[in-house]
């Protein structure tokens, strides 16, 4: 698992880094208002994409992990279902385009959605083949395909900027092209492994019934993002901002700052990705000891990663926003919302565990409870709403969903809540690590180098304290084989 996580994280970091640089490039090319318009369109597109692809690839991976001999039939069934659903979704959006577009603050957002519609068909093809590679634990192949998609999107977008005056349309079209490239690449990896498509007759029903709760759960998440893209500008306008000002604030905070929070917890996302087939396999075998150990270690790992990075974000959020996006508001929001790293990381891994433990319905219910709580807090401040309220409401929803997830996981597996100790130690280390980061940043001249050195120094300082006070335990054991002169050193990090 460690090898798979390292491999996946390496590719994901490269992909996220490219995406991160691409987002900087976009923000400077289309501006904060353009980012707001595009973010609204993208949030609705992700609702459609999640409705199409969220449940089926995960179920394909679980079924493949349990019985690789059935992967050809499962893949065929998934491919047919995906294409049918994609065609239905595209038809509905084209027919109901005007009433749907009237919900957007800017009509241009709906135009961007129309341009991205063909990407749904390509994504359906991609997700069917990807599910098999995922279930067979071919994480490197899946990561390479995703990296290819990111590169294709960037290259296509830059090229289209030179061909079209409408840069927002060019960004949307690049999404469609990238999805087509990733679908072809995934098919090549599938058939290169001498895999074949087989009769899907016996696989439609189990695939559909098992994937439906996951699809509903993840679609609810995407719908939540879409509702957020509509509700937040609306609430900002209720506080006195006009349409352009509200889109600027939304684009600066949600379109620019929040993605930066997801960047450092890439390794947690990689672990969640790897754990789904691995944990499903252990749970299906009835290996309770392995299941509990995986869950307890993963939860502790998620809070340690987030808490160690937290002081650096608290200290450098403002200069990061100014340097990356040339936007002061994005930097201020990033600094204030840095604490969201911990609930974001924890909820990410906990919800993935519920899916692996066949608790998809519980995952949906817990998420919906958190989402309702967020909107209740936001609308309680109608007329006085600002992004600080949104930050608190978003954090409260993540914490509540995480608590409910842990209750369900504990009931199913009997895990111990061992993650509390490393969490408290890392949080206690946060203040001195923050002071250290601020000090290093203040004594180094320049713009980029102070951010890099202070960030690395702050993370290392926080990690060192975590090790010294026992949040991270490192044991070195030396064992000798009888009758031999060689000794072996084993480093186990828990």
């Amino acid at each position: 698992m460690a090898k798979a996580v390292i491999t996946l994280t390496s590719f994901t970091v490269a992909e996220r880094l490219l995406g991160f640089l691409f987002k900087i490039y976009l923000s400077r090319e289309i501006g904060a208002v353009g980012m707001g318009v595009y973010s609204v369109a993208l949030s609705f597109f992700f609702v459609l994409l999640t409705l199409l692809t969220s449940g089926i690839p995960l179920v394909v991976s679980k079924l493949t992990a349990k019985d690789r001999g059935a992967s050809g039939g499962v893949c065929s069934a998934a491919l047919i279902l995906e294409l049918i659903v994609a065609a239905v979704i595209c038809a509905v959006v084209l027919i109901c385009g005007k009433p749907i577009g009237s919900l957007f603050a800017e009509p241009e957002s709906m135009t961007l959605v129309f341009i991205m519609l063909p990407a749904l068909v390509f994504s359906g093809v991609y997700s069917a083949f990807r599910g098999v590679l995922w279930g067979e634990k071919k994480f490197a192949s899946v990561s390479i395909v995703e990296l290819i998609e990111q590169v294709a999107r960037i290259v296509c977008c830059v090229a289209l900027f030179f061909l079209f005056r409408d840069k927002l349309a060019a960004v949307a079209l690049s999404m469609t092209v990238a999805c087509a490239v990733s679908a072809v690449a995934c098919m090549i990896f599938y058939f290169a492994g001498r895999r074949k498509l087989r009769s899907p007759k016996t696989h439609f029903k189990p695939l559909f019934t098992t994937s439906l709760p996951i699809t509903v759960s993840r679609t609810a998440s995407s719908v939540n993002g879409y509702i957020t893209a509509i509700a937040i500008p609306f609430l900002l306008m209720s506080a006195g901002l006009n349409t352009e000002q509200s889109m600027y604030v939304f684009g600066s905070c949600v379109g620019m700052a929040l993605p930066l929070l997801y960047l450092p917890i890439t390794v947690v996302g990689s672990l969640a990705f790897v754990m789904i087939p691995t944990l499903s396999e252990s749970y299906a075998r009835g290996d309770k000891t392995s299941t509990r150990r995986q869950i307890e270690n993963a939860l502790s790992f998620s809070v340690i990663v987030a808490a160690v990075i937290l002081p650096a974000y608290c200290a450098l959020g403002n200069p990061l926003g100014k340097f990356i996006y040339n936007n002061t508001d994005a930097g201020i929001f990033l600094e204030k919302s840095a604490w969201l790293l911990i609930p974001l990381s924890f909820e990410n891994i906990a919800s993935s565990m519920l899916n692996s433990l066949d608790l998809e319905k519980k995952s949906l219910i817990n998420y919906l409870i958190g989402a309702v709580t967020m909107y209740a807090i936001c609308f309680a401040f109608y007329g006085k709403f600002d992004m600080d309220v949104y930050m608190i409401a978003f954090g409260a929803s993540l914490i509540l969903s995480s608590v409910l997830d842990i209750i369900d996981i504990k009931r199913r597996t009997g895990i111990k809540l061992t993650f509390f100790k490393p969490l408290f130690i890392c949080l206690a280390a946060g203040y001195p690590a923050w002071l250290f980061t601020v000090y290093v940043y203040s004594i180094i001249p320049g713009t980029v180098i102070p951010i890099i050195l202070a960030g690395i120094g702050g993370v290392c300082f926080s990690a060192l304290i975590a090790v010294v006070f026992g949040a991270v335990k490192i044991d070195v054991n030396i064992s000798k084989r009888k009758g031999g002169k060689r000794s072996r050193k084993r480093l186990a990090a828990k």
Side-chain angles (χ1 to χ4, degrees):
M1 183 179 288
K3 181 180 178 181
V5 171
I6 292 171
T7 301
L8 188 60
T9 300
S10 300
F11 279 103
T12 306
V13 166
E15 179 197 349
R16 293 282 179 90
L17 182 60
L18 287 174
F20 175 63
L21 296 174
F22 180 55
K23 187 172 286 289
I24 297 172
Y25 173 71
L26 280 184
S27 67
R28 294 176 183 268
E29 287 290 327
I30 64 179
V33 175
M35 285 295 292
V37 173
Y38 177 63
S39 296
V40 171
L42 200 61
S43 64
F44 180 71
F45 174 76
F46 281 152
V47 172
L48 305 179
L49 187 63
T50 305
L51 184 63
L52 173 68
T53 65
S54 61
I56 288 181
L58 192 150
V59 174
V60 170
S61 71
K62 291 172 65 176
L63 295 177
T64 300
K66 295 176 182 178
D67 182 10
R68 294 194 179 187
S71 62
V74 172
C75 185
S76 298
L79 189 61
I80 294 171
L81 284 176
E82 294 278 33
L83 291 176
I84 292 174
V85 175
V88 172
I89 292 175
C90 290
V92 171
V93 173
L94 289 172
I95 294 171
C96 305
K98 287 187 177 180
I100 295 174
S102 65
L103 299 175
F104 296 133
E106 288 288 341
E108 191 175 4
S109 295
M110 196 62 209
T111 303
L112 302 184
V113 172
F114 287 141
I115 296 173
M116 291 187 284
L117 274 184
L120 292 176
V121 178
F122 300 125
S123 296
V125 174
Y126 161 75
S127 65
F129 292 107
R130 174 179 177 266
V132 174
L133 297 176
W134 185 6
E136 293 182 358
K137 301 180 183 178
K138 303 294 183 182
F139 302 117
S141 299
V142 175
S143 300
I144 291 171
V145 172
E146 292 179 349
L147 186 60
I148 290 172
E149 178 181 345
Q150 188 70 270
V151 172
R153 188 183 178 200
I154 294 172
V155 172
C156 179
C157 185
V158 173
L160 290 173
F161 276 174
F162 289 100
L163 297 176
F164 297 103
R165 291 183 179 180
D166 190 344
K167 291 187 176 181
L168 282 175
V171 176
L173 184 58
S174 69
M175 173 71 79
T176 298
V177 174
C179 289
V181 171
S182 66
V184 173
C186 203
M187 290 174 63
I188 292 173
F189 274 104
Y190 180 88
F191 290 109
R194 297 181 179 179
R195 303 175 186 87
K196 295 181 179 180
L197 296 176
R198 302 188 184 279
S199 174
K201 291 182 180 179
T202 60
H203 300 287
F204 282 114
K205 185 177 180 180
L207 183 64
F208 179 77
T209 54
T210 308
S211 65
L212 185 60
I214 302 172
T215 300
V216 174
S217 176
R218 298 199 173 181
T219 302
S221 176
S222 293
V223 169
N224 182 37
Y226 170 57
I227 295 174
T228 299
I230 296 174
I232 299 306
F234 170 77
L235 288 170
L236 288 170
M237 286 187 284
S238 75
L241 301 183
N242 59 35
T243 302
E244 184 174 345
Q245 289 171 333
S246 65
M247 294 305 295
Y248 167 82
V249 173
F250 180 76
S252 299
C253 298
V254 178
M256 295 180 180
L258 275 186
L260 287 175
L261 289 177
Y262 289 90
L263 191 63
I265 56 175
T266 297
V267 65
V268 177
S270 299
L271 178 61
F273 186 85
V274 170
M275 279 194 70
I276 287 177
T278 305
L279 189 59
S280 296
E281 191 175 356
S282 297
Y283 182 69
R285 290 199 313 263
D287 190 346
K288 295 182 179 180
T289 302
S290 175
T291 300
R292 284 195 295 266
R293 184 177 64 250
Q294 289 183 53
I295 293 173
E296 290 168 2
N297 289 341
L299 292 174
S300 297
F301 178 75
S302 69
V303 297
I304 290 171
V305 169
V308 164
I309 298 171
L310 175 59
Y313 262 63
C314 290
L316 302 174
N318 202 346
L320 270 173
K322 290 180 182 178
F323 170 70
I324 294 171
Y325 296 120
N326 194 26
N327 189 299
T328 303
D329 292 322
I332 293 173
F333 184 79
L334 180 61
E335 186 176 290
K336 290 181 178 180
S337 62
W339 63 275
L340 290 173
L341 274 171
I342 295 176
L344 273 172
S345 177
F346 195 88
E347 197 274 338
N348 185 354
I349 198 78
S351 60
S352 296
M353 289 173 180
L354 287 179
N355 291 331
S356 298
L357 298 172
D358 297 330
L359 293 172
E360 296 89 355
K361 293 180 181 179
K362 289 287 187 179
S363 177
L364 171 61
I365 294 171
N366 296 346
Y367 177 80
L368 291 177
I369 291 173
V372 170
T373 301
M374 182 185 75
Y375 289 115
I377 295 173
C378 288
F379 279 91
F381 288 86
Y382 181 84
K384 299 179 181 179
F385 180 84
D386 58 21
M387 294 310 292
D388 289 339
V389 174
Y390 171 70
M391 173 186 64
I392 294 171
F394 185 40
S397 71
L398 290 171
I399 293 171
L400 180 57
S401 296
S402 298
V403 170
L404 295 174
D405 288 346
I406 290 301
I407 292 173
D408 291 325
I409 292 172
K410 185 172 175 57
R411 285 175 178 172
R412 176 58 61 94
T413 64
I415 62 166
K416 297 179 180 179
L417 305 181
T418 55
F419 62 87
F420 275 116
K421 180 181 177 181
L423 175 60
F424 290 146
I425 292 174
C426 291
L427 288 178
Y431 183 66
W434 173 78
L435 290 176
F436 178 80
T437 307
V438 171
Y439 174 72
V440 173
Y441 178 77
S442 66
I443 63 174
I444 301 176
T447 304
V448 182
I449 295 178
I451 295 176
I452 295 174
L453 294 181
I456 294 174
V459 171
C460 291
F461 185 87
S462 184
L464 179 61
I465 296 178
V467 172
V468 170
F469 288 94
V472 179
K473 295 180 181 180
I474 298 178
D475 301 316
V476 179
N477 299 317
I478 302 176
S479 61
K480 294 183 179 181
R481 293 182 180 179
K482 294 181 180 180
K485 296 182 179 179
R486 294 182 303 172
S487 65
R488 180 182 61 180
K489 293 184 178 181
R490 182 180 62 189
L491 177 65
K494 182 178 179 181

